[in-house]
Amino acid sequence: EDQVTQSPEALRLQEGESSSLNCSYTVSGLRGLFWYRQDPGKGPEFLFTLYSAGEEKEKERLKATLTKKESFLHITAPKPEDSATYLCAVQAGTASKLTFGTGTRLQVTL
Amino acid sequence: DVKVTQSSRYLVKRTGEKVFLECVQDMDHENMFWYRQDPGLGLRLIYFSYDVKMKEKGDIPEGYSVSREKKERFSLILESASTNQTSMYLCASSRGRGHSYGYTFGSGTRLTVV
């Protein structure tokens, strides 16, 4: 059974204070690892897909990396508008379905 | 702007009612999914569909059914609503099988069963 664990559950940062979110996974035959951002009361919004160990993707202040067992979402010099819940998900085998972690709730304060 | 549209943002239903949640996508995606999201439990897959008139059970299908009569529309049905089905319901779609495509999500339907 595919498993995804995200840590920490919640993270509070001051504006400009860089940090990383962790997503560890156990799957048979990883096809893709996905990061989403979710604002309160809204559906998740796609950020990145990573396909193989060593791959990195960047978007503004966010950078996602992937190893054979985990992925990190690095947030550099965050701003209050980066406050959201960040979800990690994996796709494995021949299925199109995603298995999600429970998310990290990020709050960035002034 | 491509999107997934869920028919209701908020719904309040009584215990025992039959409830229909509708989802429409305009991206010609083959795959459609229904998840529920609860605090501390994350997103859990209820049902999904790879094609018209096809459906497969997800991780928590009990108490739910689905219908996909047209490619763009995927309906979730609560046969007899119960209070433990109070949740945020999220519909998503993705491109065809054999590729690692992510989902596009709708805005969600917050269902309260009283």
Side-chain angles (χ1 to χ4, degrees):
Chain A
E1 183 180 331
D2 302 336
Q3 289 194 336
V4 180
T5 304
Q6 291 188 247
S7 62
E9 285 188 22
L11 181 62
R12 185 171 176 147
L13 300 173
Q14 287 197 321
E15 185 175 15
E17 180 185 1
S18 301
S19 188
S20 296
L21 313 183
N22 178 263
C23 171
S24 62
Y25 61 91
T26 305
V27 298
S28 291
L30 180 72
R31 289 174 51 221
L33 185 140
F34 301 81
W35 283 98
Y36 286 84
R37 169 192 171 125
Q38 186 176 25
D39 293 303
K42 296 187 178 181
E45 177 186 340
F46 172 77
L47 291 173
F48 304 109
T49 308
L50 301 166
Y51 296 104
S52 58
E55 189 174 1
E56 299 182 351
K57 295 269 179 80
E58 284 190 69
K59 180 180 180 179
E60 297 180 356
R61 295 176 292 281
L62 300 177
K63 178 179 172 181
T65 62
L66 181 65
T67 72
K68 289 187 177 180
K69 293 185 177 181
E70 58 192 349
S71 176
F72 292 94
L73 185 65
H74 307 278
I75 303 176
T76 302
K79 297 182 177 182
E81 53 262 42
D82 294 323
S83 298
T85 295
Y86 291 85
L87 299 170
C88 172
V90 296
Q91 193 173 55
T94 58
S96 294
K97 65 177 184 175
L98 297 183
T99 300
F100 284 84
T102 54
T104 294
R105 191 171 62 256
L106 174 66
Q107 183 180 13
V108 182
T109 59
L110 292 171
Chain B
D1 189 22
V2 294
K3 58 185 176 181
V4 176
T5 302
Q6 295 184 230
S7 54
S8 304
R9 291 284 283 129
Y10 300 95
L11 276 179
V12 180
K13 296 291 182 181
R14 295 193 180 277
T15 300
E17 277 193 76
K18 191 169 186 176
V19 181
F20 293 85
L21 303 183
E22 306 288 345
C23 175
V24 177
Q25 51 97 1
D26 64 1
M27 296 167 282
D28 200 34
H29 282 172
E30 288 80 7
N31 308 319
M32 296 189 75
F33 307 84
W34 276 106
Y35 284 81
R36 64 178 282 177
Q37 186 175 30
D38 301 288
L41 297 176
L43 278 81
R44 293 179 291 166
L45 182 62
I46 304 171
Y47 267 97
F48 58 106
S49 170
Y50 290 131
D51 203 348
V52 176
K53 296 192 185 296
M54 292 182 66
K55 60 184 178 184
E56 294 197 33
K57 293 180 180 179
D59 300 317
I60 51 164
E62 296 79 19
Y64 303 94
S65 62
V66 291
S67 172
R68 193 164 181 203
E69 296 296 319
K70 294 185 177 182
K71 188 175 185 179
E72 67 271 18
R73 186 179 297 269
F74 193 36
S75 302
L76 179 69
I77 304 155
L78 285 66
E79 298 291 344
S80 177
S82 63
T83 55
N84 62 13
Q85 293 178 309
T86 292
S87 186
M88 169 71 96
Y89 289 88
L90 290 162
C91 175
S93 71
S94 71
R95 292 172 64 183
R97 306 180 75 169
H99 297 86
S100 298
Y101 297 119
Y103 295 172
T104 300
F105 280 91
S107 297
T109 296
R110 184 162 294 281
L111 173 67
T112 301
V113 182
V114 297

